[in-house]
Each structure stands twice: as structure tokens, then as C-alpha cells.
Amino acid sequence: MNFGHKIGIFYGLFVVFMITMVVLCVQQKDISLVSNDYYKKEIAYQDEIIKQRNVAQLAAPVVISYTGEKQQVSISFPEELKGATGTVQFYRPSDAKKDYSLALSINENTVQSIPVNQLAKGLWVVKLEWQKAGKAYLKEEKIVL
């Protein structure tokens, strides 16, 4: 076998490999974005930037912490946010079907504790969105359960 035949075999194998990869990609069933209305959210992204700026202007930071032995996520708010209303969302980047959402419920100590023993282990994005006195706020943080 001469050098030309070896090059031809190499290119032939490369073409077979590329065709196999294209077929596998086309047959993939679960191709999903992080959210179904991704494009609509991208257009309204400036509003999110303003909400995140509002969080940065608070007197004290909003702290999200995970306690492994208690299997809960605790969210501590500054005193000025007592009575705020909003939502807490847990996004699973690897599987949108596992996303979880609940109402914001700040207790008298300005803390909300959320049990997370029903959530799968791994990476989650906690997204807090709330309003107080006509001002909107947004905080996102990644946690690993």
C-alpha cells in the first residue's frame, strides 16, 4: 500500500466519522435552552440590570447560604426589606423539568429558610425576584447542593 492509499483511507474514515456525528446530533431529542422564553427574556435584560443595581444599593447584602446537614437554603435580607413580596426560583441548568419555584416569605428575623431535600444534588441557580415600595429587585446566585 503506497502513501496515496493511506491518505485516501484517512480521509474516508474522517468523512464517515463526520457523517456519524451529524446523524447523532440530528437524532438528539432533548435540546433545550435554560428557559422556554429565552429570547423574550433576552430583550428585557436591561430591566434585570436595573433590578440588580437596586440590590447593590441596599444597606446590607442579601445572603444566600446552603446548610448541608439541615438540607436547607437560608436567605437573609436586610431589615429594610421587611414586608417585601416576590418569588424564589431554583433553576436546574442541566434539566429544566426539575425547576422549582415558591413565594417569598420573609419571617420577623428577615430570613427565609427553604428545605431542599426534595431537590436533586448538583448545581442550581437560585433567583430571587421581589418588590418593595414600588422598587423591583433581582439577585441570582449559583449553589451546589
Side-chain angles (χ1 to χ4, degrees):
M1 184 184 296
N2 65 21
F3 187 68
H5 287 103
K6 290 179 185 178
I7 291 176
I9 290 171
F10 175 76
Y11 280 125
L13 291 174
F14 179 74
V15 169
V16 169
F17 172 75
M18 292 305 295
I19 290 172
T20 303
M21 294 305 292
V22 169
V23 168
L24 289 175
C25 289
V26 169
Q27 290 178 346
Q28 191 175 10
K29 298 216 185 297
D30 188 22
I31 301 173
S32 62
L33 298 172
V34 173
S35 102
N36 290 337
D37 54 350
Y38 171 78
Y39 297 108
K40 188 189 323 180
K41 286 183 177 181
E42 189 67 30
I43 291 171
Y45 191 66
Q46 183 61 36
D47 294 335
E48 289 189 11
I49 293 171
I50 292 168
K51 291 176 186 178
Q52 290 172 347
R53 255 189 231 139
N54 290 342
V55 171
Q57 294 171 353
L58 291 172
V62 176
V63 179
I64 301 170
S65 59
Y66 170 64
T67 309
E69 61 268 1
K70 292 184 180 180
Q71 291 289 306
Q72 71 180 14
V73 171
S74 296
I75 306 168
S76 301
F77 293 90
E79 287 290 326
E80 63 191 287
L81 292 177
K82 276 188 177 178
T85 59
T87 59
V88 180
Q89 299 170 334
F90 287 84
Y91 286 114
R92 179 76 171 186
S94 62
D95 188 1
K97 296 176 191 128
K98 293 183 180 178
D99 290 353
Y100 174 66
S101 181
L102 66 145
L104 188 67
S105 175
I106 305 171
N107 67 14
E108 63 276 351
N109 298 327
T110 65
V111 175
Q112 179 169 0
S113 295
I114 304 165
V116 291
N117 52 352
Q118 78 279 6
L119 299 179
K121 302 293 182 213
L123 178 68
W124 289 85
V125 178
V126 180
K127 183 176 180 179
L128 304 172
E129 216 169 340
W130 71 94
Q131 301 81 32
K132 171 74 181 206
K135 204 170 189 182
Y137 300 88
L138 172 71
K139 178 169 176 82
E140 286 187 21
E141 190 169 314
K142 294 177 183 174
I143 61 169
V144 177
L145 302 182

